[in-house]
Amino acid sequence: MDFKNTAMKFFTSVEDEEHEEQYVGPRLVKTGHLNIMVRTPRSFTDVREYADSLMGGAAILVSFEAVDAALKNRIFDYLNGVSYIVSASVEYISDDLLMYAPSQVTVAKEKGVKPSGGLGSWLGK
């Protein structure tokens, strides 16, 4: 048995094996789904919804372009606290964009692409 057949058995169910001779094209394997929310907070009251979504298993991209530095740090601290509680990860995307991902989501970045300043410059350090 070659690698392709072994892999196909891993990703197909018993019902699919019965129809395997009939269809030889590509197959769509549904392993679940992930909700990714893209949000731009305008005030601190918006952030509670984001925290609830993160605790519910959604990934959140938060754009900080519409808030000043003080509110940005307050939102950052709050969402980082929620992330710590639910074992979520926080990924720096750009100077005004952070991704909060639940523990079951792996975020992979390309090697060699360096952010302009990292979280240290983002927080004013």
Side-chain angles (χ1 to χ4, degrees), residues 14-82:
V14 175
E15 296 169 356
D16 292 337
E17 288 179 14
E18 294 172 0
H19 303 290
E20 190 170 30
E21 286 86 6
Q22 296 174 359
Y23 181 72
V24 293
R27 298 177 191 267
L28 175 63
V29 178
K30 186 175 180 182
T31 59
H33 67 281
L34 171 67
N35 293 327
I36 300 177
M37 300 172 52
V38 181
R39 298 291 187 251
T40 304
R42 306 237 185 276
S43 67
F44 189 75
T45 56
D46 298 335
V47 181
R48 183 173 180 168
E49 173 195 340
Y50 311 160
D52 291 341
S53 297
L54 183 61
M55 289 188 289
I60 306 168
L61 284 169
V62 180
S63 173
F64 293 93
E65 62 187 19
V67 295
D68 62 356
L71 186 55
K72 180 192 284 190
N73 286 337
R74 187 173 176 206
I75 293 169
F76 176 79
D77 288 342
Y78 180 77
L79 288 176
N80 279 356
V82 171

